Amino acid sequence: MDGNGRWAKQRGLPRLKGHEQGAESVRAVLRAARQAGVKYLTLYAFSTENWIRPKDEVEGLMNLLGVFMDRYEGEILKNKIRLRVMGQIERLPENLQKKLSKLMEKSAKDYEYTLIVALSYGSRLEIAEAAKAIARKAASGELDPETVNEETVAQHLYLPDVPDPELMIRTSGELRLSNFLLWQLSYAELYVTDVFWPDFREEQFFQALEAFNQRGRRYGGVVTQ
Ligand code: IPE
Ligand code: MG
């Protein structure tokens, strides 16, 4: 979800206004994804690298997350959306951690859709953590190093039961992965739009799905039809 700052700058507004409008886009895209029958939606809300932003902005973003959850808890539960998070959750403010775990627990009871929020997330860190866990098991004899394969690594990532994304949407025209789901995106279709995240709403989401549907996915094989 990139481009909040530039969206605000274009309008002579403080960056936080861009993040606020971005939160509205989250709501819009969540609704559109549900309409389209998308079962898993992952939002990259805050990266491990984002901690170096000015203190005010970091606090503003954390605050906004809390406000967002309070405001949309009802909507999330009513629409049978399960909330999950990935990343260094322990680095988040404690009240936010509490809110997250409460809603995660409540929403896990009865759900049709999954919303994953990547918070203080970094993909290299995630892979390094997986390597550590595997190494620990190997050292203790729980696992034979010779059996380690792609599946083993995948099983030690943050959310092993979540399928790999089929489509990655990047807003604001940046042509980078920015340390996002490096392992999981191996076969994902990439869609980049110049639209800043605060302007990315239902219509733009459906356009991205349309573009996705036009692509022929072969997974390294040949075209069969
Ligand atoms: C939002 O956009 C991404 C978050 C970290 C919340 P940015 O804040 O990166 O916006 P730009 O890149 O300055 O436009
Ligand atoms: Mg940015």
Side-chain angles (χ1 to χ4, degrees), residues 15-16 19 45-67 88 91-93 95-96 119-120:
R15 291 178 60 83
L16 207 56
H19 296 315
F46 198 85
S47 73
T48 47
E49 291 81 18
N50 285 149
W51 289 110
I52 60 167
R53 290 191 179 197
K55 194 166 163 270
D56 279 2
E57 185 172 347
V58 172
E59 275 177 16
L61 277 167
M62 295 298 152
N63 238 338
L64 197 59
L65 272 158
V67 169
Q88 302 166 300
R91 283 182 79 179
L92 303 174
N95 64 334
L96 186 58
L119 285 168
S120 190

Side-chain angles (χ1 to χ4, degrees), residues 163-183:
D164 288 345
E166 293 176 280
L167 169 65
M168 189 204 64
I169 301 172
R170 171 120 201 189
T171 57
S172 86
E174 305 290 354
L175 301 171
R176 287 190 297 275
L177 288 176
S178 298
N179 206 11
F180 186 54
L181 301 179
L182 302 179
W183 177 279

Side-chain angles (χ1 to χ4, degrees), residues 137-154:
K137 287 186 186 173
S140 73
E142 188 185 328
L143 187 148
D144 173 3
E146 292 311 318
T147 65
V148 173
N149 57 21
E150 292 179 19
E151 190 49 33
T152 321
V153 177

Side-chain angles (χ1 to χ4, degrees), residues 74-85:
E75 198 170 319
I76 287 174
L77 294 173
K78 192 181 97 211
N79 291 314
K80 298 191 181 233
I81 299 168
R82 177 183 181 184
L83 175 74
R84 299 182 75 174
V85 292

Side-chain angles (χ1 to χ4, degrees), residues 113-124:
Y113 306 93
T114 302
L115 168 66
I116 300 154
V117 187
L119 285 168
S120 190
Y121 174 83
S123 184
R124 285 185 167 185

Side-chain angles (χ1 to χ4, degrees), residues 2-3 6 53:
D2 207 1
R6 279 161 285 171
R53 290 191 179 197

